[in-house]
Amino acid sequence: MSITVVGSVALDTVETPFGKVENALGGAATYFSTAASLYTQVQLVGVVGDDFPEQHVEFLRGRGVDVRGLQRRPGQTFHWAGRYEYDNLNNAQTLDTQLGLFASFDPQLPDDYRSADCVFLANIDPALQLKVLEQVRQPKLAALDSMNFWITSNKPLLTEVMRKVDVVLMNEAEALEYGETFSLVAAARKILELGPKVLLAKKGEYGAALFARQTYFFAPAYPLEVVKDPTGAGDTFAGGFLGYLSRVGDYSLAAMKRAVLHGSAMASFTIEDYSIDRLRTLTLADIERRVEQFAHFTNPRGEAIFDTLSLRV
Ligand code: AMP
């Protein structure tokens, strides 16, 4: 049971109407690894510069993440700056993207990373996603995430990588942008026609939808009273989803539906605090409690019990 992940390891500057954090630990692969390491062995591939605090590497190591594939080089760490307003909680407005050392990164996987059961190509240049995918031997599941930045700048190569994976994860707006349509069903059809078995479209506070050829499954988001910073919701959704599949060793559609609930629960915790802070103390038992509650949310005879005080009846 192991997942090899490549993606941004970053320092983020995030603004919301309530506050700002500067150079906080971020990056798609960081969020993913922090979440998935609750379930399974994670092997991280990426690069950071000499401006990246060693305590962040120590934090990942402390969670059991294998960081031998995380290179440290002279130069600048990936830096992303984004802003959320009341009307764009589900889609950050990017203010700045500095690729830093990722612009010239040439990933070389340690040999045991190549035999991982699962590979996750987290958000990063599709050229790097492809280089990692080509080095992994016959994973049971390959999944990819991306965003508008790469859809706009390198759609042909992104499409080439999408053709080679089993699962594509994207925000709803990004799936629509990729499919050049206002219909998520039409976007899903275009993406599944490329070859993936599943599209997972994340709808932020409205949940997540799984599209497979003849299967549709929808999971709500957890109703939260405390929402501080939506950054990383998508990556930790992926961490809960793939972490669960890797742990149970089952990559069937039925397992994927249960995994969507784990992804949704994981993302709900992430946004309760800035950066990865809420995940520092999170346990699998906390996740499972929310997963159980999901089963009641759409059952009129179910009794949903919320964690958040004001919703308790
Ligand atoms: P999300 O889960 O979509 O909120 O992802 C947030 C993370 O994605 C942030 O921590 C950023 O550092 C990272 N990120 C933002 N833009 C990019 C990009 N163009 N490529 C890779 N990672 C990015």
Side-chain angles (χ1 to χ4, degrees), residues 8 10 12 26-28 31 78 80 123-124 147 149-150 230-235:
S8 53
D12 288 348
Y31 277 107
F78 188 106
W80 176 76
N123 190 13
I124 198 63
M147 71 180 286
F149 187 90
W150 303 112
T231 312
D235 310 310

Side-chain angles (χ1 to χ4, degrees), residues 105-162:
F105 181 46
D106 183 20
Q108 295 300 329
L109 271 53
D111 196 52
D112 45 335
Y113 278 40
R114 297 171 198 246
S115 46
D117 307 309
C118 200
V119 58
F120 183 54
L121 309 172
N123 190 13
I124 198 63
D125 188 335
L128 293 177
Q129 294 182 318
L130 192 58
K131 277 189 179 170
V132 168
L133 189 60
E134 281 169 348
Q135 291 177 52
V136 181
R137 305 182 195 103
Q138 295 196 312
K140 295 196 177 104
L141 190 95
L144 163 153
D145 193 359
S146 197
M147 71 180 286
N148 47 11
F149 187 90
W150 303 112
I151 297 171
T152 314
S153 64
N154 205 347
K155 191 170 176 182
L157 192 58
L158 176 61
T159 302
E160 195 183 321
V161 193
M162 285 166 65

Side-chain angles (χ1 to χ4, degrees), residues 203-204 206-210 216-221 237 257 260-261 264 294:
K203 293 163 168 271
Y206 305 111
L210 179 153
Y216 176 76
F217 178 71
F218 180 76
F237 177 95
K257 291 181 190 174
V260 168
L261 299 180
S264 199
F294 280 127

Side-chain angles (χ1 to χ4, degrees), residues 51 53 59 73 81 104 107-109 127 136 142 159 180 193 215 223 226 229 240 242 250 252 259 270 273 286 306 313:
D51 54 350
F59 162 72
R73 292 270 175 83
S104 56
Q108 295 300 329
L109 271 53
V136 181
T159 302
E180 296 173 15
E193 274 169 3
T215 306
V226 177
D229 173 11
L242 291 176
D250 179 355
S252 65
T270 306
D273 210 339
D286 297 326
F306 298 95
V313 283

